[in-house]
Amino acid sequence: MQIEPESPEQARRTPTVAIWGGLATLLVLGLFFVIWRPQETPAPAERSLLPPGIPAAPKASAKDSSAKMKELLGELARETDRRPHDYWNHALLEPLRARMNQATNVYERMYFMFELAQESLNANELEQSVELFEEFFKLQQKHDPNYSKADLADLQMNLAVARLRQGEQANCIAHHNPASCLFPIANEGVHANPEGARLAMELLEMVLKEKPEDLQARWLLTVAAMAKGGPPSDEARQWLLPEDLFASDYDIKRFTDIAADAGLAVNGLAGGAALDDFDNDGDLDLMTSAWGQKDQLRYFTNDGKGHFTERTEAAGLTGLLGGLNIFQADYNNDGHTDLFVVRGAWLDAAGRHPNSLIRNNGDGTFTDATFDAGMLSFNPSSSAAWLDFNNDGWLDLFVVNETLDAKAAARPCELFKNQGDGTFKNVAATCGIGVVGYFKGVTAGDYDNDGWIDIFLSDYYGKNRLFHNRGNQTAQSAPRFQDVAAQAGVTEPEHSFPCWFWDYDNDGWLDLFVADYDPDNREDIVRGYLDQPLKGQGARLYRNLGNGAFQNVTQPAGLEIATLAMGVNFGDLDNDGFLDFYLGNGTPDFGDIFPNRMFRNAGGKSFQDVTTSGGFGHLQKGHGVAFGDIDNDGDQDVYAVMGGAYTGDRFFNALFANPGHGNRWIKLQLVGQTSNRSAIGARLKLIVDADGNERAIHRVVGSGGSFGSNPLTQEIGLGAADSVKRLEVSWPTSGEKQTFENLKPNERYTLVEGSKALSASAPTEALNR
């Protein structure tokens, strides 16, 4: 029998054969063994700050909050070595090998051999993985001569994926260049050592002879042929997907990956990225994380020209480990941008890791303030959102938590109210938003323009939630938030993951995008290219009707796509004043070799796939995404975290440099006084004039999507505008509306709440309260 996986992510780590119909294969062999799990050791009677069942950290004298967190994270990393979870793949290998060698019959040996082959692939022990898969196939054919060719083809998919992985490691890793793993693979991206791709093609041809309609095999054969630099045999050409299927709808011009030259080619696992001016010198710096329990949070400062230097150790961040996602804001209104890091997502009980509130000290150093702030909790979390839900001028924080089985362990979401003294209080239950579900994404915004920030949650296993903030009109005994998702029409899609509020059509009302993540319908990605109907629901674009309801405009907007999306964000690639977006394919399975995708906003009416023309189609896993002008030339570049979930799935992060499009731009840094210092939630309306034609551009201050963080300084494209005739600013706490006239394009301005004057490129330090 097989134990039910604890999460959809853990379900993804079953062999590819299980996904594509081959789970019955192992049952045919009579392998009725329970899937092996590492044996847990009993916890000591004494526990310190760790959750139940986790051994205590060494006793220590009184320490500051940062030292406590580093000690706690270090102990969690050591504990994971002792009791590895399903993604701690290297630690699983020896116990599996021992089980295989101790098997009492050939079928039991074969069972653990297959498991060890798969875990070796996940751990990037590729030679071992290939040897084990090949030995397994020999034993299978010897001991079950009646085994069907179709089921054998399912098993061969695993070996084909391992061979492709070998080709990737020998080329894209060992000889990495800006074209490595970019789809469609061409020119410098073609493998100089084609052996892995060639062997994969041979296996995939065998699979397709038995299963000619297998869309995954057709896709992988196409990728392998591109990597090899030549087509397969004449017989196999019929299964290749025509390359013209991948042509862009619009030529956005080529964005080149310059991460290595910029000093940002971090080689790591899945994680977060936040672009912002953390040292207040007027350019964008970078914080990155990776979710492995031993992976270091990393900090890079910008020299103003787009070249970065790592300052992790000097910043006091050494020892702050792990983190799947990062969100920045100035929570204590001191003029320095702070961070919140989430941990433990996908791991259920094994993900009882603390999140971190990291305070920017303003002197180049950072302090983990989680303990002092009263925010220590142990829940698996994948996303969070800064917002001022009660309009008191202090940023609060909503954290989504994941609950698989509420009867076994309910983990309600948390709403941390900022007390204004550096501490927070969880008020989710009293506010009516302490909900329980398998929540993956959160976005906050005032969708009904009533002056109060609302919250949208994506639920992987249930209906999505839209919580309307009832503000001060609510009776004292009634909760502040009310779920209106059904009335608003935004409960779909099934298997929702990343999400964001944005005004994609510039009408002054926040719209909503919700991406889907359903690996069971992975073939839908191929169907999309073939212009075939999807079997799953796909993504959803909801247009705000301005009456409390939304309209599903996915189809007319050209976005009927399956995404497998995790890493996401939006920005304005060509500075035309309309927001574009990037979707990163984050599924951990090595067989899901699908490109990340970029979509251009065509005038607020529809979206154009510009993945291939822009060079964005990375075949590595897409996680934290951030749009920002890293070289101060006025157009937005795109930073993307490319590592995966398994311990062997490390890859170089990418920085796609914008080639420029000739349009004008403006940068607006808002500084709250009565409102929160970061001005999160402030609304901007720009009336621009181009040759006598006026139009409006709308923005809301925030960091963008729910997996990756853009700078809080608003970088706004103006198209061909000759001037910004009028800028209207609406502040969230004071309700003050400020108007400025005749701003020059291609300038950076600082706007202070309550001030009638604009400062051009004013130093941020001078604006401290």
Side-chain angles (χ1 to χ4, degrees):
M1 67 184 276
Q2 178 158 339
I3 294 176
E4 192 68 18
E6 294 180 335
S7 77
E9 280 289 300
Q10 292 174 7
R12 301 289 72 78
R13 63 172 297 277
T14 57
T16 304
V17 59
I19 299 171
W20 299 95
L23 181 58
T25 298
L26 300 181
L27 299 179
V28 169
L29 291 172
L31 305 178
F32 300 109
F33 302 100
V34 175
I35 281 183
W36 170 84
R37 287 285 187 270
Q39 298 299 309
E40 293 196 357
T41 54
E46 181 181 354
R47 292 179 286 105
S48 60
L49 301 167
L50 295 159
I54 304 295
K59 289 184 177 180
S61 58
K63 297 181 178 180
D64 64 25
S65 182
S66 211
K68 290 178 184 177
M69 180 59 73
K70 292 175 182 180
E71 182 180 82
L72 176 53
L73 294 174
E75 179 57 27
L76 280 168
R78 291 186 289 274
E79 175 58 21
T80 307
D81 282 333
R82 293 189 287 265
R83 295 189 289 187
H85 57 65
D86 281 353
Y87 292 97
W88 208 248
N89 308 102
H90 284 88
L92 301 175
L93 298 183
E94 287 309 311
L96 271 174
R97 182 174 291 280
R99 287 292 189 92
M100 181 183 73
N101 292 335
Q102 294 165 8
T104 58
N105 60 65
V106 68
Y107 298 109
E108 184 180 356
R109 177 176 175 79
M110 289 172 64
Y111 177 83
F112 288 111
M113 182 180 296
F114 198 100
E115 284 286 293
L116 180 58
Q118 188 66 35
E119 289 300 346
S120 298
L121 172 62
N122 296 341
N124 210 37
E125 299 292 340
L126 300 179
E127 295 299 326
Q128 176 172 283
S129 177
V130 167
E131 291 174 5
L132 289 165
F133 276 134
E134 289 181 336
E135 184 179 353
F136 176 88
F137 297 149
K138 291 176 182 177
L139 289 173
Q140 177 275 320
Q141 292 177 75
K142 177 181 179 180
H143 293 281
D144 188 3
N146 297 320
Y147 198 69
S148 76
K149 291 183 178 180
D151 285 339
L152 178 61
D154 282 335
L155 292 174
Q156 287 171 324
M157 287 286 288
N158 295 276
L159 183 54
V161 169
R163 289 297 191 186
L164 275 173
R165 183 74 175 165
Q166 283 182 315
E168 172 196 295
Q169 294 298 297
N171 294 275
C172 301
I173 293 288
H175 302 285
H176 182 71
N177 67 68
S180 295
C181 283
L182 279 184
F183 183 85
I185 301 171
N187 303 320
E188 292 83 2
V190 174
H191 290 184
N193 179 356
E195 186 67 4
R198 183 187 66 79
L199 293 171
M201 288 169 63
E202 292 178 0
L203 289 159
L204 292 164
E205 287 183 41
M206 295 169 61
V207 171
L208 285 162
K209 286 176 182 178
E210 298 302 325
K211 304 178 67 177
E213 302 304 318
D214 189 318
L215 289 181
Q216 188 207 25
R218 290 186 63 189
W219 177 269
L220 293 178
L221 180 68
T222 302
V223 172
M226 291 176 178
K228 178 178 174 291
S233 67
D234 290 341
E235 182 181 4
R237 289 173 188 255
Q238 62 182 308
W239 295 308
L240 288 179
L241 297 170
E243 198 159 325
D244 60 6
L245 294 178
F246 316 124
S248 287
D249 301 324
Y250 176 90
D251 185 3
I252 194 68
K253 300 171 67 173
R254 191 78 172 183
F255 287 61
T256 303
D257 179 7
I258 62 166
D261 291 340
L264 294 178
V266 177
N267 190 347
L269 295 177
L275 277 174
D276 218 311
D277 186 4
F278 293 105
D279 57 4
N280 284 347
D281 65 352
D283 52 44
L284 297 180
D285 311 304
L286 177 71
M287 285 280 186
T288 68
S289 67
W291 87 315
Q293 265 88 43
K294 296 181 180 179
D295 291 328
Q296 173 64 50
L297 185 70
R298 300 178 71 176
Y299 174 47
F300 299 84
T301 59
N302 192 339
D303 68 355
K305 299 177 182 179
H307 298 97
F308 291 78
T309 302
E310 183 162 6
R311 303 288 188 192
T312 302
E313 183 176 1
L317 294 168
T318 303
L320 293 179
L321 309 175
L324 188 58
N325 214 340
I326 309 173
F327 307 89
Q328 86 277 17
D330 182 1
Y331 78 88
N332 55 1
N333 288 339
D334 68 350
H336 306 292
T337 302
D338 314 298
L339 298 154
F340 188 76
V341 180
V342 297
R343 302 185 177 96
W346 298 111
L347 300 179
D348 196 36
R352 293 172 296 178
H353 303 162
N355 299 326
S356 278
L357 176 68
I358 300 175
R359 184 179 67 243
N360 186 339
N361 298 320
D363 58 0
T365 68
F366 295 80
T367 298
D368 191 304
T370 310
F371 286 84
D372 292 343
M375 298 180 76
L376 184 68
S377 63
F378 296 90
N379 295 304
S381 308
S382 65
S383 192
W386 290 103
L387 71 160
D388 184 0
F389 80 91
N390 56 354
N391 279 344
D392 66 351
W394 296 92
L395 284 174
D396 315 299
L397 183 70
F398 187 87
V399 182
V400 295
N401 292 325
E402 301 171 358
T403 298
L404 273 174
D405 184 353
K407 294 181 180 178
R411 302 182 179 98
C413 292
E414 296 161 303
L415 175 60
F416 289 104
K417 179 181 178 295
N418 194 328
Q419 304 288 85
D421 58 0
T423 67
F424 291 78
K425 179 181 179 182
N426 182 12
V427 296
T430 57
C431 285
I433 204 166
V435 289
V436 173
Y438 204 73
F439 298 113
K440 299 303 299 180
V442 57
T443 182
D446 181 9
Y447 77 89
D448 56 351
N449 288 349
D450 67 351
W452 298 95
I453 301 296
D454 313 296
I455 299 174
F456 177 86
L457 304 180
S458 65
D459 191 337
Y460 190 84
Y461 283 130
K463 300 292 186 182
N464 297 329
R465 311 287 192 94
L466 175 61
F467 286 97
H468 177 240
N469 187 338
R470 299 166 64 178
N472 289 337
Q473 300 176 15
T474 305
Q476 237 179 354
S477 59
R480 177 181 288 270
F481 289 93
Q482 178 183 7
D483 185 3
V484 296
Q487 302 94 300
V490 294
T491 58
E492 295 179 341
E494 296 176 348
H495 305 297
S496 296
F497 195 161
C499 54
W500 62 82
F501 280 122
W502 61 341
D503 187 355
Y504 79 90
D505 55 0
N506 277 326
D507 66 351
W509 295 89
L510 286 178
D511 311 298
L512 178 66
F513 186 88
V514 190
D516 67 312
Y517 175 81
D518 186 4
D520 288 337
N521 286 323
R522 52 172 49 83
E523 285 189 336
D524 271 351
I525 293 179
V526 187
R527 292 187 187 98
Y529 285 111
L530 293 169
D531 201 24
Q532 296 177 1
L534 305 183
K535 290 190 176 180
Q537 285 194 339
R540 289 287 185 271
L541 175 64
Y542 293 109
R543 181 174 179 270
N544 194 328
L545 298 177
N547 59 2
F550 292 78
Q551 178 186 8
N552 180 1
V553 295
T554 310
Q555 190 275 332
L559 291 175
E560 284 192 315
I561 54 172
T563 66
L564 291 179
M566 288 192 188
V568 297
N569 221 317
F570 58 85
D572 188 353
L573 295 176
D574 53 3
N575 277 341
D576 67 349
F578 291 95
L579 293 170
D580 318 302
F581 69 96
Y582 192 45
L583 297 177
N585 162 36
T587 171
D589 196 301
F590 287 127
D592 292 339
I593 307 175
F594 299 113
N596 303 322
R597 299 174 74 176
M598 183 73 81
F599 292 87
R600 175 183 180 266
N601 188 334
K605 304 296 184 183
S606 63
F607 288 83
Q608 300 161 326
D609 189 328
V610 295
T611 302
T612 54
S613 68
F616 297 108
H618 220 295
L619 291 171
Q620 294 297 318
K621 308 305 182 182
H623 288 93
V625 175
F627 286 66
D629 180 10
I630 61 102
D631 50 2
N632 285 325
D633 63 354
D635 47 40
Q636 290 190 311
D637 312 290
V638 183
Y639 190 79
V641 176
M642 293 298 177
Y646 298 129
T647 57
D649 197 7
R650 293 180 175 271
F651 202 81
F652 301 98
N653 295 347
L655 174 60
F656 298 107
N658 196 319
H661 297 82
N663 286 324
R664 296 183 172 91
W665 51 270
I666 194 168
K667 296 183 184 181
L668 302 173
Q669 180 186 7
L670 275 66
V671 181
Q673 297 294 292
T674 303
S675 302
N676 69 87
R677 175 62 186 253
S678 295
I680 289 176
R683 305 178 74 102
L684 304 172
K685 180 180 180 181
L686 295 83
I687 305 299
V688 301
D689 183 287
D691 295 326
N693 297 314
E694 289 190 5
R695 68 179 173 111
I697 299 173
H698 292 266
R699 294 289 184 270
V700 178
V701 178
S703 60
S706 59
F707 210 139
S709 294
N710 296 340
L712 296 173
T713 292
Q714 296 300 289
E715 302 174 340
I716 304 171
L718 303 175
D722 303 308
S723 68
V724 178
K725 294 186 67 174
R726 188 168 70 257
L727 168 64
E728 301 173 4
V729 184
S730 299
W731 294 91
T733 297
S734 64
E736 181 178 358
K737 297 185 184 299
Q738 292 177 272
T739 301
F740 304 93
E741 296 183 347
N742 298 320
L743 280 70
K744 295 180 181 179
N746 298 353
E747 294 282 351
R748 173 174 176 155
Y749 293 92
T750 300
L751 292 70
V752 179
E753 184 178 15
S755 173
K756 296 181 180 180
L758 284 178
S759 300
S761 302
T764 309
E765 290 287 2
L767 299 168
N768 288 343
R769 290 180 173 177

